[in-house]
Amino acid sequence: AAKDPKAAKQRGAIYSLAPSFQSVNTIWAGTDDGLIWLTRDGGAKWADITPPELTPWSKVTQIEASHFDSQSAYASVSRLRIDDLRPYIYRTHDGGKTWQRITAGLPENAPVDTVREDPVRKGLLFAGTETSVWMSFDDGDHWQPLQLNLPHTSMRDLWIHDSDLIVATHGRSFWILDNITPLRQASASVASSKAFLFQPARAFRIQRDANTDTPLPPDEPAGANPPDGAVIDYSLSHPASGAVTLEILDAGNHVVRRYSSTDPPELTPEQLRKDRIPLYWLREFKALSTAEGMHRWVWDLRYPSPTATEHEYPIAAGPHDTPRGPLGPRALPGQYRVRLTVDGASLTAPLTVKMDPRVHTPLAGLQRRFELETRLASMLSRSSEAVLVANSVREQLKKLSGQADGAVKESLQALDAKLALLLDGPKDAPADKPPSDKSKEPTLGGVNGDVSTLYGLAGMADAPPSLALTTAAGVAERDLSPLMKRWDAIKTSDVPALNQRLREAKLPELRLEPERDAEEAGANEE
């Protein structure tokens, strides 16, 4: 001003606008020379409501009209152009008649570029400075950092979209903080509760990325998507003394999925290495935490995975997030409940699962797909368990044959032949003879493979199942029924009778359980 006496009278450009969320004719405006204006009649007349302490060269970087009333607004101001690095945020609750500076907790060396009010929780504010992001639970009276893994750079704008906080930085990309619902529910009572289950945000039923060319080229954008499923947050004021369980229940109060802090890893490190896939591609095993603090869990919107004789990883891989198939049937859109149990006490919260808005399949069509998926998953589990146990029994028979002789050995060989016929059918006929009709009969191994293929096809799209798929599933179900009856008869009759003879011969008895190593050795890459 000393060099230019007219500086105080110079007026700049409107730098920020904030239409009211409550009144269509109310608009707040801020200029880049430190003035704030308000109109109540759609712009016909404007009133100067500038805070008295604002002086020229104070840029009103942003104005945020309140979502809850037409008298409240928040303004961020930067005086960076005159080397004043202090933060300035102003609040009014009386239409600009009075303003309060609300910067307690903000650093003294970072001008403020943006301020936003959460549209759901009154008093929850977010601010972006030249170095970081901040939040306030008490309408700006006190601020605390919300930096997490953000780079320290100029935070030029913030926006809340549904349950996500979006950050636009100057030269360091867009960043999204997924799911701020815990911030909307955080309170002193939450912090003091022995256990607290936050009400989850609505979850969207979206198909997993099916990109067929992974890993992606280095120049391909590869930002991480939000977790696939429902994000569930809970907090513990002190470590749990026992197991922590988390259950998902449907509208009929049936348990859809159950997790526990005592769940063992699906595979050991040795078994993972057998898959011949670099471990950094695989989805890391996690168990519910029993530790003090806040924890996040993701339900993938699926029922438990069916038992299978072989497992594979999709070629649409993602670092540290490639699931091992087959996965369970996908849950339908609708209303669910989350139940958290800590030290014998249970807490519940509602959960809404929404359909992918890009998919327009009627719910009845999705219901038919779900019913078919569920049927096939049950068939796959039953047939796979039978195949795994039958193969395990055959391995035991092979070892026992070297220790037995006479009638016992003949009994071992007879049961092995019976299992071989059940699993694979009769041996191939000689080349000079046509196969018999019996060789065309369904086998347990063959039907199991067919069901596995059909189950994979049933889950490929959010569409009603085709007639061909439904028909094929019906054929597989028809073929499986007599095969399972034969298997049940072997378990309840042949195996106990043979075990009696083995006991008499002082030999180990047959165990009706799968050999896990044999099962996992079937894992392969697609």
Side-chain angles (χ1 to χ4, degrees):
K3 295 182 179 179
D4 185 359
K6 298 180 180 180
K9 298 181 180 181
Q10 291 177 349
R11 294 294 175 254
I14 294 175
Y15 198 79
S16 56
L17 277 175
S20 171
F21 293 95
Q22 298 292 321
S23 172
V24 67
N25 290 317
T26 296
I27 305 173
W28 308 73
T31 67
D32 66 353
D33 63 341
L35 297 180
I36 297 179
W37 299 80
L38 176 65
T39 178
R40 296 291 191 182
D41 53 14
K45 296 186 296 294
W46 290 85
D48 184 351
I49 56 171
T50 306
E53 67 180 83
L54 283 193
T55 58
W57 297 100
S58 296
K59 179 189 291 185
V60 181
T61 53
Q62 195 164 87
I63 294 184
E64 173 79 340
S66 175
H67 292 75
F68 302 97
D69 67 83
S70 61
Q71 291 290 98
S72 299
Y74 306 86
S76 59
V77 176
S78 172
R79 291 171 56 82
L80 179 65
R81 293 176 297 179
I82 54 174
D83 293 332
D84 182 354
L85 302 183
R86 288 172 294 180
Y88 296 92
I89 301 177
Y90 295 90
R91 176 186 67 200
T92 181
H93 288 315
D94 55 11
K97 294 177 182 177
T98 59
W99 293 86
Q100 296 82 40
R101 184 179 172 190
I102 48 172
T103 57
L106 294 175
E108 288 294 304
N109 60 348
V112 183
D113 292 320
T114 174
V115 61
R116 294 292 184 189
E117 178 191 52
D118 182 64
V120 174
R121 175 175 176 172
K122 189 175 182 179
L124 177 58
L125 304 181
F126 300 95
T129 72
E130 280 293 312
T131 60
S132 52
V133 173
W134 298 76
M135 66 177 176
S136 171
F137 290 105
D138 53 10
D139 204 33
D141 288 340
H142 303 88
W143 294 89
Q144 54 186 298
L146 188 65
Q147 191 64 19
L148 301 177
N149 62 326
L150 279 173
H152 285 281
T153 187
S154 177
M155 309 298 177
R156 291 300 176 92
D157 201 358
L158 299 169
W159 190 257
I160 297 99
H161 177 73
D162 290 340
S163 299
D164 301 331
L165 176 64
I166 304 170
V167 183
T169 73
H170 183 63
R172 292 297 181 272
S173 304
F174 287 98
W175 294 73
I176 299 176
L177 177 60
D178 297 319
N179 197 357
I180 62 170
T181 52
L183 298 180
R184 291 170 172 169
Q185 300 170 52
S187 65
S189 61
V190 171
S192 61
S193 298
K194 180 179 179 181
F196 187 86
L197 175 63
F198 294 89
Q199 180 173 333
R202 60 182 178 175
F204 285 91
R205 186 178 182 274
I206 296 176
Q207 291 276 6
R208 187 176 178 274
D209 174 31
N211 192 306
T212 57
D213 295 315
T214 50
L216 298 171
D219 58 344
E220 187 77 17
N225 287 322
D228 296 331
V231 177
I232 302 167
D233 296 284
Y234 67 95
S235 65
L236 304 176
S237 61
H238 60 270
S241 58
V244 172
T245 63
L246 187 68
E247 296 168 299
I248 311 297
L249 299 96
D250 62 17
N253 211 36
H254 303 109
V255 175
V256 173
R257 197 74 178 269
R258 184 182 187 277
Y259 302 98
S260 172
S261 57
T262 59
D263 288 340
E266 184 180 17
L267 297 175
T268 65
E270 292 74 19
Q271 290 168 333
L272 284 171
R273 280 190 281 271
K274 290 180 180 179
D275 288 350
R276 302 181 303 278
I277 298 174
L279 298 185
Y280 63 81
W281 284 112
L282 308 185
R283 180 170 290 176
E284 181 183 359
F285 170 78
K286 293 181 180 178
L288 285 171
S289 178
T290 61
E292 177 184 350
M294 186 170 172
H295 308 287
R296 172 162 287 187
W297 189 260
V298 178
W299 172 44
D300 62 1
L301 304 185
R302 290 184 179 273
Y303 283 68
S305 298
T307 303
T309 58
E310 292 187 351
H311 300 272
E312 61 186 16
Y313 297 94
I315 197 170
H320 308 291
D321 196 37
T322 306
R324 182 175 184 260
L327 300 174
R330 193 184 297 272
L332 288 169
Q335 298 301 315
Y336 296 82
R337 281 193 308 125
V338 180
R339 182 165 64 197
L340 175 73
T341 302
V342 181
D343 294 340
S346 294
L347 304 167
T348 62
L351 168 64
T352 300
V353 176
K354 303 285 289 184
M355 191 58 210
D356 185 336
R358 300 166 297 181
V359 175
H360 303 290
T361 302
L363 183 60
L366 295 175
Q367 180 71 42
R368 292 201 303 274
R369 170 194 153 159
F370 172 75
E371 291 171 354
L372 179 62
E373 256 193 306
T374 303
R375 279 174 54 205
L376 288 167
S378 175
M379 292 163 58
L380 181 58
S381 288
R382 288 187 292 118
S383 60
S384 295
E385 289 166 3
V387 169
L388 292 169
V389 175
N391 282 327
S392 173
V393 171
R394 292 195 70 190
E395 285 294 320
Q396 296 173 61
L397 291 171
K398 183 179 179 181
K399 295 177 182 178
L400 288 170
S401 293
Q403 306 173 42
D405 54 21
V408 175
K409 186 169 186 177
E410 290 178 1
S411 297
L412 294 171
Q413 293 171 342
L415 180 56
D416 183 68
K418 197 170 187 177
L419 289 171
L421 187 65
L422 174 68
L423 290 168
D424 305 317
K427 293 182 179 180
D428 293 337
D432 59 343
K433 292 184 179 181
S436 66
D437 291 339
K438 289 185 177 181
S439 67
K440 300 178 183 178
E441 292 180 358
T443 64
L444 187 56
V447 173
N448 175 255
D450 293 342
V451 171
S452 178
T453 300
L454 294 173
Y455 181 70
L457 293 173
M460 289 184 67
D462 286 316
S466 66
L467 177 60
L469 185 60
T470 305
T471 302
V475 171
E477 193 169 33
R478 181 198 64 197
D479 292 342
L480 181 61
S481 180
L483 293 167
M484 291 302 297
K485 288 181 180 179
R486 287 167 57 187
W487 167 241
D488 289 339
I490 291 174
K491 290 192 299 179
T492 58
S493 179
D494 296 62
V495 171
L498 182 54
N499 275 342
Q500 176 63 33
R501 304 194 69 174
L502 290 171
R503 282 195 297 271
E504 294 171 355
K506 307 295 186 194
L507 292 173
E509 296 182 33
L510 297 173
R511 303 181 314 278
L512 290 173
E513 58 186 33
E515 288 188 357
R516 305 312 301 178
D517 288 341
E519 176 189 356
E520 306 305 343
N524 58 77
E525 182 180 0
E526 181 179 273

